Amino acid sequence: QVQLVESGGGLVQAGGSLRLSCAASGNIFSIDSMGWYRQAPGKQRELVAAIRSVRTNYADSVKGRFTISRDNAKNTLYLQMESLKPEDTAVYYCNMFCSLRSDRYRLLEVWGQGTLVTVSS
């Protein structure tokens, strides 16, 4: 019914930049919030950044380096990552809470398949 497709991951040197994109499609009525999470090998999945309406929040480890934004017309979420560090290496997942046209009063949580970001030192 609803799908999130991430893109933009890859290999980059420390200090470099990448922009991740997450396109939402399907039977969406409205989007409540969207966010980026990441999971490094052997570690738990953690919140990187989230956006709800015009409010954003960031993990302390990425503040000042990452910027989350959203194009409501395209139902697309972005994560601009600057000054990347080796410790940013992880699989990055897009997350969304939305309601469907077929069930407008229930929030549904959706995850993307993930995109790998590797930062070399």
Side-chain angles (χ1 to χ4, degrees):
Q1 286 182 317
V2 179
Q3 189 177 20
L4 296 176
V5 178
E6 299 110 329
S7 61
L11 174 64
V12 64
Q13 287 189 333
S17 303
L18 280 176
R19 188 174 87 149
L20 304 183
S21 300
C22 170
S25 62
N27 189 28
I28 299 170
F29 174 67
S30 69
I31 296 175
D32 181 74
S33 66
M34 298 186 79
W36 290 98
Y37 288 73
R38 68 186 180 187
Q39 187 166 19
K43 294 188 176 181
Q44 289 189 331
R45 190 173 297 189
E46 63 175 358
L47 174 68
V48 175
I51 183 168
R52 187 182 188 194
S53 183
V54 296
R55 293 186 176 182
T56 59
N57 65 286
Y58 296 89
D60 288 342
S61 59
V62 307
K63 281 181 181 176
R65 300 188 298 121
F66 291 10
T67 303
I68 190 171
S69 61
R70 180 177 149 185
D71 185 331
N72 293 327
K74 296 181 179 180
N75 279 348
T76 300
L77 181 72
Y78 303 99
L79 185 68
Q80 181 67 41
M81 304 185 292
E82 307 283 350
S83 302
L84 283 160
K85 304 175 181 180
E87 50 263 44
D88 295 317
T89 295
V91 177
Y92 284 71
Y93 296 91
C94 181
N95 172 272
M96 176 177 71
F97 284 89
C98 69
S99 59
L100 305 180
R101 293 191 184 96
S102 56
D103 190 355
R104 298 181 180 185
Y105 301 104
R106 183 170 68 98
L107 276 182
L108 179 70
E109 184 177 21
V110 185
W111 288 92
Q113 82 287 353
T115 185
L116 177 63
V117 172
T118 304
V119 184
S120 63
S121 57

